[in-house]
Amino acid sequence: MELPAAGPCAPAGLAPPAMGPGSPPRSAALILLVLLVLGARPEAQETGVRRQQRHGHSLNPNSSWWDMEYKGLLHSKKTLPGTVGSHKLSSLLRSSSPLGHKDSRSLLSQNLGQKSQEKQLSCDMLLKLSRYILMDTFGPSLAWNLFRFYHCDREVNLPKIHVSPLKLAQHKLKPFLLHRMLQLLRNMGVLSESQQSKVFALLKKQMLKARKTPVKPQVEQSGPCPGAAPHLSPWHPGSDTRRAAVVGRGAALRLESSATFHSLVIRDGGKLVFADRPRGPPITLRARYILIQDGGELHIGSERCPYGSRATISLYGRAADGAAVAGFGQKFVGVGGGGVLELHGRRPRSWSLLDKTLHPGGLRHGRYTSEKRWGSRGLNLRILDAGTGRVLAAGRFDTHLRAGECRRLLAFLALQPPGRVVAAAVGDSAARSLTLETRLLLRDRLRSEHIARLGYRQPWALVGILGGDALSTAEDKREYHGSGTTGLAVAQREFLTYDGTRFTVTAFSGWIKGSPLYLHIGEVIDGIDMRAEVGLLTRNILIQGEMEDSCYGQNQCQFFSFDTFGGHIKILRNFSSVHMSGVELKNMGQQILGSYPVHFHMAEDVDERGGYDRPTYLDNLAIHHCFSRCVAIHGTHGLLVKDTIGYDTLGHCFFLEDGTEQRNTFYHNLGLLTRSGTILPSDRNEAMCLAIRSHVYGNYIPVPSTDCMAVSTFWIANPNNNLIENAAAGAQDVGIWYIFHRVPTGQSEGRYPEGQAEHTPLGVFYNNRVHSNFKAGLFIGKGVKTTRASAEDPREYLTVDNARFRPHQDADPEKPRVPAIIDGLIAFKNNDHGAWARGGDIIFRNSGFSDNGIGLTLASDGTFPTDDGSSLEVTRSIFVGESSNFGSQGGQNSYWGKGANGEYRTLPRNKTFPIRGFQIYDGPVRMAKCTFKKFTPTVDRYSSAIGFFMKNAWQISPQNNVSQILMEKSVGLKVFFGRSGQWFGNNDNDGDKMSIFHDLDGSVTGYPDTFIGRADNYLLRHPGCLTVPRWNGMMCTGRFAQLYIQARRPENLTLSIARATYSSHPLQLQGVNRGAPYQQYQPVVMLEQAYIIQWDGRAPEDIILYPINFNRGDWLHIALCYPRNTVFHVVTDVYQRQTGMVHSIKHYFAAPSRASALNGTGERLFYFDRASGYLFVHLQAHEARKGHSYCSQQGCERIKITAHMYPGGSWSCAPNPFPQRPVAPQRPVSQRPARPCRACGAPQLAITSTPSVKYIRIQIQSLSKADIQSHLTSAFIKINGAVFPINSPGIFFVVLDACSGAVVSRRHFDTVTGENAANSITDYVQTFIKERSLVLVCSRDIADMVGSSEMSIFTRLGSAKPIVFHKEGSFAMLGYKGQAKPSWIKVLNHAGNQKAASLQHYVPLKLKEYQCSANAFSQNHSEHISAEAMVPHN
């Protein structure tokens, strides 16, 4: 089996995966493995066999609610009488109580025990049926929200959903099945009670009627097996590249042998079926193109009878050969109006996740190559641990020239205990000074036959066991004849580690052991599921393009060395039926607009809405080594793409084109290694962006970072689509990108009004994973340019542009917002961002972020005043800075350096890049119930849990808030505001200075109701603040809001603002709209304070002041500096943002004094002090504000100041026109420390791609004698934070129920004073530990144990071989007693001179392989984890 390594860490020096003719042979099954280390793209291939995932999914791909396997049972020609009517979805949903455990179990018993029509339906099959019918009737969102919680072998509380049984009964379903399904839904508690009696009465009548009427057998369109239909005529057309074959009216042919045509057209009711003869030769159909239209049909297998043989459709031809077919082009399979394309191969598991980590070299400690080749003169020895494969000692002994080396060799061997692996070889010569005593000792200890007679320059190699028998030794020697040797001496032997990994030790002139080359994670690490994806690329139906050896002609050869003119499949509207499953597509696609591996072109609705009884789908496709996308959905709605792999392709892979495409569902697809292409600006890399300028205006030179460089695995151009359980890894730029077309583009122009896509609610986004992408894992925001290049905007059409996501009900901005829910995102090892989202409302929940440059950035919908109060939120999520997934060096991992723990690892961006978990850009954003781990600065870089957007010119909202945050002990820097220097620049932009957030409960700072701002921001500071130098920040109490200032004529001034109390510490603000019609500034201010505003030039003629985030009654006193001879016109009004209307206009009048203008009596007065040059106004909010809106529902209150200034007047003013007063008292931060927060942090231990599986967190720390002598005292077993300390020498066991996770037993065995400890351990494991148990074993200061030379009892707990404890060593084991051997079993057996054995693991509970009882979690007979355990703080 061939395994192209598909990830970001291929070794340097290996060529890219072959494209075209260099692809792997058809006879070999192709499996691909995603590598999980940081970097752009892998480019290596490696061989080996990958074990498939054993963990059960909540919705397994092979038993999901999308499964079509049982559709033959579903459809009946009749609907139930009395059920047809209008049912609005809104009336179908209402509250109900969730299903109880007892009811759930009895329900399943009923379903499993009933028989109907002599058939007994399994629970899984009945669930599949119900899932399909609910999706069919109510759409995927409702079905998903209900059935993602429900599973046959697991108890759950269901969401509160009610649906109409009358609506369900309208489905054309056989009565007995409808009855069973409605029973299931009724017992689940989701049927509307008011309609249950009616529907069951109608159903009873229908079932009685059905018994009296004989049922005619239903036959599929093409019968169960289309190739077996008797009316088909055998066809053996032969090979003729000039023949234009036509299968037309009345022709029904069975292709029984390979054939070659110039072209094949199937039309006018003609039908072609591939013969299915598994023992016969494969059938290959070659043609320049195949066109199916006007009632023509092409069948290879069927849904119910997948094709069992091997079939290939091979499309040939060069780009310049022949004329293009109108609407289709060249080298294609085309389906036109009335065409039928049914391709159904065998459906293997398409892809899964590794269930065990594969280490480099196959070993935990990595592959090993001798630092020097064996050419070093003398005897070269390496000592290895047979249980782990780790190299423990190495030495070279020049026994040829130096007599004293024999003594050193003997001393070296005396230190090595029996049982170790030894590899020995001669370099050059080792015989001259090798004494007889030494030869005899080597003979006895190494069990060597040849060492005693070793001669001058005689090659010799040995691999054996110290103290072993002759059968344990592999040995080889060669003769030396004076002029040279007869060859290399090579000794080789295979060994087995304790955890079952096989490795080979080879001794010769150079030696290595093991494979694979790079780290592939197969476990949950630090609470984040980082398991590698494993995909199968071969299918028994293959559609391929025949390729040239290299690029030629006009095929963009300046960018590609290989031929990119592949085949393509194109489906047009009004086709009769298209379904593809179990099909491989290779060498497909062209660097030409519209020619993609699979392309639905302007097909409109392809599900029930379009009149298709059998909704269109693509299922279990393997699309690899293709030249333009994977699946293109263009002007098409309602398509299902499921279990499909896209690997090593050019341009956006899963692609929505014009922005109109809606209701499409991507379920459990895998996209890997998405490279740049040339077709669209967003497809292009930097070189392509600069070189392709044929569609720009004039001499415009594109800016690659903003115009292009956006190639994505999933390019989602309309939010109303569903993404469920997909994975996107190794993209040149982004894994999943939601992009917004302000108006439809391309052939869809005019199909919806301007701005609709940006306001359309998000479809289902659930349980997707993105990793190892260069720019971002998930990106929500930006759009495409929807106008042609012109003098006003010379950029190319469809260049990446600005847009923001603002979902509202019915896509109507006048209606309420509909939050976009990002549920269950896993993002790790992405170079720049794990996820970036701009807009609102957007909510991330149940998500995990690890090893990204920046975990998550939330950016607001827009700047005031166009923003109508959106917000963003992240909750119930986990953030990890530098996890224990160190990755591997090499390939395209550009950044490799020391981590915070001193060990080398992959790094994002650069070894100095400031890592941030949660980044605040502007706001308002909220973060609640999140956990942070392993954010620790180093000498090279800052690393903080919470940080801010660098070089930020934008506004930041004081409404940003956090609560219920858990910072684990491994967080070394909770918050960081940046410092001048690399990456941060001068750290002097407006947003840098104004960075702020609100710690509502004190879970970050330790003090509730505290604002955290930058240390030098004197607009916020008061005497009660606490400065935190490491953060470059301060913690302050108080009430804060924003002052929004617009300035016109001129628009390029620098504003200086100071609080009167700290007038000597003004802040200089540049504004954010330099060059715009007006400039805007938005400082954060403390309420009920006086502020002074000056300018670096003559004051603007027009100034507007908005009180932003003010509640009713909040106020400021403002003094603005003007020339002394200025005349003012001041008005107040209310500006309604959405309509642009202004109302409640009122004029201000001049006051006789400053005090009268600022007294806040409600009179609208201003005062201009000509002596000082200051204009004084009282700015106050009079209307109530709701939620996150900046202003009230009536609109934004504001003061507009128009100044008439005359030449010659001075525009400088004194620093402070307000009288000096003592600083107003504010509550000191330190007065009210926060209480301990037990509910803080993410409620989940782990964020995984199998959310229905529960995990426990295990940590085992042993101690060796050397550790204790070094004054280390902590040996323990830790379970979910509960600590079981080990205070005395010996072996300690903790046993848990593998189904419930409860601790059921603990036992300590004294190996120092205890007699027969080995026998006691054996008896305990055999007798007292029950089946289905997790067994945790830890050691402290192991001494010799009687009878412990080999303890085979540990093989009952999963060890691959008996354990031999090392004297004064250490031991740790995570084992399992039961019939299964779970993949998570780990064994560490360290010698005394090694670091103490220590392991951490997230162990899944209640897996199917444990064979747990149904009520495992509800059992209460076991001891609780916390019993008698010490529970420290995290």
Side-chain angles (χ1 to χ4, degrees):
M1 294 187 135
E2 189 153 346
L3 286 134
C9 57
L14 289 185
M19 306 282 282
S23 297
R26 180 72 184 129
S27 59
L30 219 66
I31 292 181
L32 93 100
L33 175 69
V34 184
L35 308 183
L36 300 190
V37 288
L38 180 65
R41 283 79 43 207
E43 308 232 347
Q45 298 190 1
E46 58 186 45
T47 58
V49 178
R50 306 297 183 225
R51 294 170 56 191
Q52 297 249 338
Q53 178 192 16
R54 292 176 183 163
H55 296 299
H57 289 268
S58 59
L59 285 180
N60 186 283
N62 294 328
S63 61
S64 73
W65 60 284
W66 300 109
D67 205 312
M68 304 292 181
E69 225 172 287
Y70 300 105
K71 274 186 64 180
L73 294 172
L74 304 185
H75 291 288
S76 173
K77 290 185 178 179
K78 298 180 180 179
T79 55
L80 190 62
T83 63
V84 178
S86 174
H87 298 275
K88 294 183 179 179
L89 187 60
S90 59
S91 68
L92 303 177
L93 304 176
R94 66 185 189 197
S95 176
S96 71
S97 59
L99 178 67
H101 294 319
K102 187 174 180 180
D103 296 334
S104 170
R105 299 284 59 155
S106 63
L107 157 66
L108 294 179
S109 300
Q110 290 175 26
N111 288 332
L112 293 171
Q114 292 179 351
K115 291 186 178 181
S116 182
Q117 295 189 0
E118 300 180 354
K119 293 182 180 179
Q120 183 169 348
L121 293 179
S122 70
C123 173
D124 281 332
M125 183 174 173
L126 196 59
L127 279 180
K128 285 183 183 182
L129 172 66
S130 304
R131 290 164 182 161
Y132 178 81
I133 297 300
L134 260 74
M135 181 195 74
D136 208 32
T137 307
F138 299 121
S141 296
L142 184 145
W144 178 257
N145 285 326
L146 177 61
F147 279 107
R148 70 180 162 121
F149 296 100
Y150 197 75
H151 209 272
C152 283
D153 61 353
R154 190 166 292 112
E155 297 176 8
V156 291
N157 288 329
L158 295 171
K160 298 177 180 180
I161 294 176
H162 258 175
V163 299
S164 165
L166 292 172
K167 182 74 172 177
L168 289 169
Q170 293 179 43
H171 205 283
K172 295 180 180 179
L173 188 66
K174 295 179 180 179
F176 87 96
L177 286 172
L178 179 60
H179 186 263
R180 295 290 306 282
M181 183 195 74
L182 290 173
Q183 277 188 317
L184 172 67
L185 295 174
R186 178 181 64 184
N187 292 334
M188 288 170 66
V190 299
L191 289 187
S192 298
E193 296 179 8
S194 61
Q195 298 176 358
Q196 284 185 27
S197 58
K198 179 180 178 181
V199 76
F200 279 105
L202 292 169
L203 184 58
K204 184 177 181 180
K205 292 179 183 179
Q206 182 71 3
M207 292 178 71
L208 290 172
K209 182 179 178 181
R211 289 183 183 179
K212 299 175 184 177
T213 307
V215 179
K216 293 182 180 180
Q218 293 286 320
V219 181
E220 265 195 28
Q221 265 184 317
S222 55
C225 293
H231 67 283
L232 296 175
S233 300
W235 195 33
H236 299 272
S239 177
D240 184 352
T241 57
R242 297 168 298 175
R243 179 181 176 185
V246 176
V247 179
R249 188 178 306 278
L253 305 177
R254 179 172 51 244
L255 182 64
E256 298 191 342
S257 60
S258 296
T260 299
F261 305 114
H262 175 276
S263 60
L264 173 62
V265 177
I266 309 172
R267 66 188 186 199
D268 300 329
K271 185 174 186 178
L272 178 63
V273 180
F274 274 51
D276 191 356
R277 295 174 180 171
R279 292 184 178 86
I283 296 176
T284 297
L285 173 59
R286 298 180 67 244
R288 289 183 180 274
Y289 68 85
I290 299 171
L291 179 58
I292 310 156
Q293 61 185 4
D294 300 331
E297 300 183 21
L298 175 59
H299 296 259
I300 308 179
S302 69
E303 284 180 359
R304 294 181 60 190
C305 184
Y307 193 71
S309 309
R310 300 185 69 84
T312 299
I313 295 176
S314 194
L315 302 167
Y316 68 89
R318 291 168 57 95
D321 294 349
V325 177
F328 292 96
Q330 297 173 268
K331 207 170 178 180
F332 64 86
V333 175
V335 183
V340 173
L341 180 64
E342 295 288 336
L343 306 179
H344 301 275
R346 291 191 295 264
R347 293 190 294 273
R349 175 170 290 193
S350 179
W351 66 277
S352 188
L353 300 173
L354 275 181
D355 65 354
K356 184 176 182 179
T357 295
L358 301 180
H359 294 276
L363 302 169
R364 177 179 302 278
H365 304 289
R367 58 181 297 145
Y368 178 85
T369 302
S370 176
E371 297 85 354
K372 295 183 179 180
R373 298 182 71 79
W374 292 94
S376 299
R377 187 178 57 221
L379 281 176
N380 294 263
L381 274 72
R382 301 291 185 268
I383 307 297
L384 297 89
D385 186 335
T388 64
R390 188 173 191 174
V391 177
L392 303 176
R396 182 180 72 85
F397 306 91
D398 187 356
T399 56
H400 180 69
L401 288 181
R402 299 178 182 177
E405 288 287 87
C406 286
R407 290 190 297 275
R408 196 166 67 87
L409 172 59
L410 295 177
F412 175 82
L413 289 173
L415 294 174
Q416 312 307 322
R420 296 276 173 84
V421 174
V422 59
V426 168
D428 187 24
S429 181
R432 178 186 293 178
S433 301
L434 190 62
T435 65
L436 177 61
E437 177 191 5
T438 305
R439 289 172 184 261
L440 294 177
L441 184 139
L442 290 172
R443 181 193 66 184
D444 295 340
R445 290 217 63 188
L446 306 184
R447 297 296 182 182
S448 168
E449 295 182 4
H450 306 300
I451 191 68
R453 298 182 299 278
L454 185 69
Y456 174 68
R457 285 195 170 176
Q458 187 174 33
W460 170 80
L462 176 143
V463 176
I465 302 291
L466 290 174
D469 56 28
L471 296 177
S472 67
T473 300
E475 187 177 18
D476 188 25
K477 71 178 179 67
R478 291 288 184 269
E479 299 302 323
Y480 178 75
H481 297 297
S483 59
T485 67
T486 57
L488 291 174
V490 179
Q492 186 177 76
R493 202 193 141 184
E494 188 178 80
F495 296 91
L496 184 70
T497 66
Y498 289 122
D499 61 6
T501 301
R502 295 190 179 276
F503 67 98
T504 300
V505 176
T506 306
F508 60 114
S509 57
W511 60 283
I512 61 172
K513 59 182 190 310
S515 134
L517 297 175
Y518 293 95
L519 177 66
H520 309 289
I521 296 298
E523 58 193 84
V524 175
I525 294 182
D526 293 318
I528 308 296
D529 189 346
M530 302 192 200
R531 290 175 290 173
E533 294 88 354
V534 185
L536 181 68
L537 293 183
T538 47
R539 303 291 187 272
N540 67 313
I541 298 177
L542 169 66
I543 303 177
Q544 66 178 0
E546 296 184 11
M547 311 305 295
E548 301 294 321
D549 292 336
S550 61
C551 190
Y552 63 90
Q554 304 300 312
N555 290 331
Q556 306 287 359
C557 296
Q558 68 270 41
F559 306 118
F560 308 109
S561 60
F562 45 85
D563 181 7
T564 60
F565 194 73
H568 66 106
I569 300 173
K570 190 170 187 178
I571 299 112
L572 304 186
R573 63 176 298 188
N574 294 328
F575 61 84
S576 289
S577 177
V578 172
H579 302 90
M580 296 172 60
S581 61
V583 180
E584 176 184 352
L585 294 97
K586 184 177 70 173
N587 296 338
M588 300 288 281
Q590 303 162 6
Q591 283 294 297
I592 297 172
L593 187 67
S595 298
Y596 314 126
V598 183
H599 179 196
F600 283 85
H601 179 75
M602 305 303 292
E604 301 183 348
D605 294 310
V606 297
D607 55 1
E608 294 90 340
R609 289 195 188 182
Y612 292 92
D613 288 338
R614 298 164 61 221
T616 310
Y617 63 81
L618 305 175
D619 181 12
N620 207 291
L621 307 188
I623 305 170
H624 64 94
H625 298 97
C626 289
F627 312 115
S628 183
R629 320 212 183 288
C630 304
V631 176
I633 302 175
H634 183 194
T636 300
H637 324 292
L639 179 67
L640 170 63
V641 183
K642 171 177 176 268
D643 279 331
T644 291
I645 297 175
Y647 170 64
D648 200 356
T649 57
L650 305 181
H652 307 302
C653 180
F654 298 99
F655 174 66
L656 304 184
E657 189 158 344
D658 284 348
T660 60
E661 299 80 13
Q662 301 190 56
R663 300 185 300 100
N664 301 290
T665 295
F666 297 93
Y667 175 68
H668 200 258
N669 302 290
L670 172 63
L672 300 169
L673 197 58
T674 304
R675 306 171 188 266
S676 299
T678 63
I679 295 176
L680 296 179
S682 55
D683 287 319
R684 299 170 192 157
N685 60 24
E686 182 176 7
M688 296 170 181
C689 190
L690 293 171
I692 301 173
R693 296 173 55 196
S694 56
H695 293 96
V696 304
Y697 183 87
N699 295 321
Y700 175 73
I701 299 175
V703 181
S705 61
T706 56
D707 293 359
C708 307
M709 297 178 67
V711 67
S712 304
T713 301
F714 290 85
W715 182 261
I716 308 300
N718 189 294
N720 185 24
N721 291 280
N722 304 311
L723 273 74
I724 301 166
E725 295 189 3
N726 301 287
Q732 178 83 39
D733 291 307
V734 175
I736 301 173
W737 194 322
Y738 283 91
I739 196 88
F740 302 93
H741 294 230
R742 183 169 294 277
V743 296
T745 56
Q747 296 182 39
S748 300
E749 285 186 10
R751 298 204 175 194
Y752 62 66
E754 182 175 351
Q756 179 171 306
E758 297 166 76
H759 293 105
T760 297
L762 186 72
V764 176
F765 185 102
Y766 179 75
N767 204 19
N768 297 290
R769 43 195 289 128
V770 288
H771 65 90
S772 312
N773 302 289
F774 196 82
K775 184 177 288 185
L778 170 66
F779 200 102
I780 302 175
K782 291 195 175 291
V784 295
K785 181 174 179 282
T786 57
T787 57
R788 308 289 171 176
S790 64
E792 291 75 21
D793 187 345
R795 296 174 302 158
E796 184 177 344
Y797 183 55
L798 300 181
T799 288
V800 178
D801 205 355
N802 289 322
R804 289 165 185 181
F805 184 33
R806 298 174 284 227
H808 284 259
Q809 181 180 323
D810 300 326
D812 184 349
E814 298 297 323
K815 293 184 178 180
R817 288 182 177 272
V818 179
I821 306 298
I822 305 298
D823 193 357
L825 174 71
I826 295 176
F828 60 96
K829 296 284 186 183
N830 297 287
N831 249 27
D832 198 343
H833 273 86
W836 164 287
R838 179 183 285 284
D841 292 346
I842 302 174
I843 299 173
F844 285 75
R845 66 187 185 198
N846 305 315
S847 296
F849 306 89
S850 181
D851 299 286
N852 306 290
I854 301 162
L856 173 64
T857 296
L858 299 179
S860 73
D861 172 20
T863 183
F864 178 83
T866 57
D867 184 7
D868 56 351
S870 68
S871 64
L872 302 99
E873 176 180 328
V874 57
T875 183
R876 302 168 61 92
S877 297
I878 297 174
F879 294 82
V880 182
E882 296 180 14
S883 77
S884 297
N885 177 3
F886 295 154
S888 300
Q889 186 181 19
Q892 295 199 32
N893 285 324
S894 303
Y895 310 117
W896 181 258
K898 281 189 177 181
N901 64 354
E903 297 192 50
Y904 279 88
R905 61 177 300 118
T906 56
L907 296 171
R909 293 286 294 272
N910 184 291
K911 69 177 183 180
T912 62
F913 183 74
I915 295 172
R916 282 145 286 170
F918 179 63
Q919 176 173 265
I920 299 172
Y921 186 174
D922 40 26
V925 300
R926 302 186 299 278
M927 179 169 58
K929 299 187 79 67
C930 290
T931 298
F932 290 84
K933 309 177 184 183
K934 297 188 174 181
F935 290 91
T936 302
T938 71
V939 295
D940 294 321
R941 64 186 167 276
Y942 298 104
S943 179
S944 62
I946 300 173
F948 298 87
F949 188 78
M950 298 182 299
K951 302 177 184 177
N952 182 17
W954 212 247
Q955 54 93 6
I956 290 190
S957 170
Q959 300 297 314
N960 297 328
N961 64 73
V962 302
S963 61
Q964 293 183 289
I965 305 303
L966 173 62
M967 299 278 184
E968 292 195 355
K969 281 186 175 181
S970 56
V971 175
L973 189 60
K974 295 180 179 180
V975 182
F976 188 55
F977 287 85
R979 296 187 190 278
S980 299
Q982 186 183 14
W983 300 105
F984 296 98
N986 293 327
N987 201 27
D988 200 37
N989 289 356
D990 291 4
D992 300 331
K993 300 172 184 176
M994 290 297 162
S995 299
I996 188 171
F997 69 92
H998 189 188
D999 185 1
L1000 296 176
D1001 60 353
S1003 54
V1004 172
T1005 62
Y1007 302 100
D1009 193 19
T1010 299
F1011 287 83
I1012 298 90
R1014 208 168 87 167
D1016 58 357
N1017 186 349
Y1018 280 83
L1019 301 187
L1020 312 181
R1021 181 178 284 280
H1022 58 77
C1025 296
L1026 292 179
T1027 301
V1028 188
R1030 291 192 70 234
W1031 300 0
N1032 190 25
M1034 61 181 175
M1035 303 183 294
C1036 299
T1037 57
R1039 295 172 57 237
F1040 300 94
Q1042 287 163 286
L1043 173 63
Y1044 177 73
I1045 305 165
Q1046 277 188 8
R1048 291 180 175 84
R1049 301 198 301 267
E1051 295 83 29
N1052 58 352
L1053 297 176
T1054 296
L1055 176 148
S1056 172
I1057 181 169
R1059 197 158 96 240
T1061 308
Y1062 294 100
S1063 59
S1064 60
H1065 294 87
L1067 255 66
Q1068 312 296 321
L1069 302 180
Q1070 302 294 319
V1072 298
N1073 277 354
R1074 295 259 161 174
Y1078 63 87
Q1079 185 53 273
Q1080 57 184 13
Y1081 315 85
Q1082 200 158 333
V1084 176
V1085 292
M1086 179 181 287
L1087 293 167
E1088 301 183 4
Q1089 299 287 311
Y1091 285 88
I1092 305 151
I1093 295 175
Q1094 301 191 43
W1095 311 87
D1096 65 343
R1098 200 173 78 153
E1101 295 179 23
D1102 295 312
I1103 292 176
I1104 306 178
L1105 305 176
Y1106 293 80
I1108 302 305
N1109 288 313
F1110 280 47
N1111 294 320
R1112 178 185 288 165
D1114 290 343
W1115 57 267
L1116 295 178
H1117 290 161
I1118 309 292
L1120 300 101
C1121 175
Y1122 285 95
R1124 300 334 189 244
N1125 58 0
T1126 305
V1127 176
F1128 297 96
H1129 177 68
V1130 182
V1131 300
T1132 180
D1133 60 31
V1134 177
Y1135 171 60
Q1136 180 53 256
R1137 304 178 308 283
Q1138 294 183 3
T1139 63
M1141 301 296 291
V1142 175
H1143 62 89
S1144 304
I1145 302 173
K1146 297 177 183 177
H1147 291 269
Y1148 270 61
F1149 299 98
S1153 67
R1154 179 182 61 205
S1156 59
L1158 301 180
N1159 62 15
T1161 59
E1163 292 184 86
R1164 291 174 171 80
L1165 301 172
F1166 70 88
Y1167 175 71
F1168 183 55
D1169 184 349
R1170 295 189 181 279
S1172 66
Y1174 279 105
L1175 172 71
F1176 295 90
V1177 294
H1178 177 83
L1179 182 67
Q1180 183 170 358
H1182 299 88
E1183 302 292 341
R1185 180 180 62 87
K1186 290 185 178 180
H1188 291 279
S1189 294
Y1190 284 125
C1191 308
S1192 71
Q1193 288 186 316
Q1194 285 71 33
C1196 289
E1197 303 171 74
R1198 59 186 187 173
I1199 296 176
K1200 300 174 70 174
I1201 302 169
T1202 302
H1204 300 281
M1205 292 170 279
Y1206 299 93
S1210 171
W1211 45 264
S1212 62
C1213 301
N1216 187 5
F1218 292 98
Q1220 294 294 326
R1221 294 176 181 172
V1223 178
Q1226 299 287 336
R1227 177 176 58 83
V1229 166
S1230 57
Q1231 275 190 354
R1232 264 183 22 197
R1235 296 178 180 178
C1237 179
R1238 297 190 179 275
C1240 285
Q1244 317 94 317
L1245 277 172
I1247 305 294
T1248 76
S1249 292
T1250 51
S1252 63
V1253 177
K1254 305 300 179 186
Y1255 285 79
I1256 55 171
R1257 182 180 180 182
I1258 301 297
Q1259 184 178 355
I1260 302 175
Q1261 177 62 61
S1262 64
L1263 279 182
S1264 66
K1265 189 174 188 69
D1267 295 323
I1268 296 170
Q1269 291 172 347
S1270 301
H1271 306 292
L1272 300 175
T1273 60
S1274 183
F1276 58 86
I1277 292 175
K1278 189 175 182 180
I1279 307 169
N1280 289 356
V1283 178
F1284 298 87
I1286 306 170
N1287 299 316
S1288 55
I1291 306 291
F1292 186 54
F1293 283 74
V1294 177
V1295 181
L1296 292 78
D1297 185 324
C1299 301
S1300 68
V1303 175
V1304 296
S1305 175
R1306 298 194 304 278
R1307 186 70 63 87
H1308 175 261
F1309 298 93
D1310 189 339
T1311 59
V1312 177
T1313 61
E1315 296 183 3
N1316 297 322
N1319 291 337
S1320 299
I1321 290 173
T1322 299
D1323 183 57
Y1324 175 67
V1325 172
Q1326 287 180 335
T1327 307
F1328 293 97
I1329 298 179
K1330 297 180 179 180
E1331 297 286 297
R1332 292 189 290 278
S1333 292
L1334 307 180
V1335 184
L1336 317 180
V1337 189
C1338 184
S1339 74
R1340 179 186 178 104
D1341 190 13
I1342 300 177
D1344 284 333
M1345 288 192 292
V1346 176
S1348 66
S1349 59
E1350 276 197 353
M1351 294 200 64
S1352 59
I1353 190 61
F1354 283 95
T1355 61
R1356 280 290 283 119
L1357 305 181
S1359 176
K1361 61 182 183 179
I1363 299 294
V1364 179
F1365 290 113
H1366 297 291
K1367 185 178 180 180
E1368 300 182 350
S1370 59
F1371 181 76
M1373 182 175 185
L1374 171 58
Y1376 177 80
K1377 185 177 180 182
Q1379 297 301 312
K1381 186 176 180 181
S1383 59
W1384 44 257
I1385 290 172
K1386 290 186 176 182
V1387 184
L1388 300 179
N1389 189 21
H1390 288 184
N1393 59 348
Q1394 293 178 251
K1395 186 178 179 181
S1398 174
L1399 63 84
Q1400 298 185 47
H1401 201 82
Y1402 287 78
V1403 182
L1405 298 176
K1406 204 180 179 185
L1407 295 183
K1408 286 185 178 180
E1409 60 190 286
Y1410 304 163
Q1411 299 179 344
C1412 298
S1413 60
N1415 60 342
F1417 280 119
S1418 61
Q1419 292 175 351
N1420 197 31
H1421 67 274
S1422 302
E1423 174 186 358
H1424 291 292
I1425 286 176
S1426 58
E1428 301 180 34
M1430 298 171 56
V1431 185
H1433 293 293
N1434 282 315

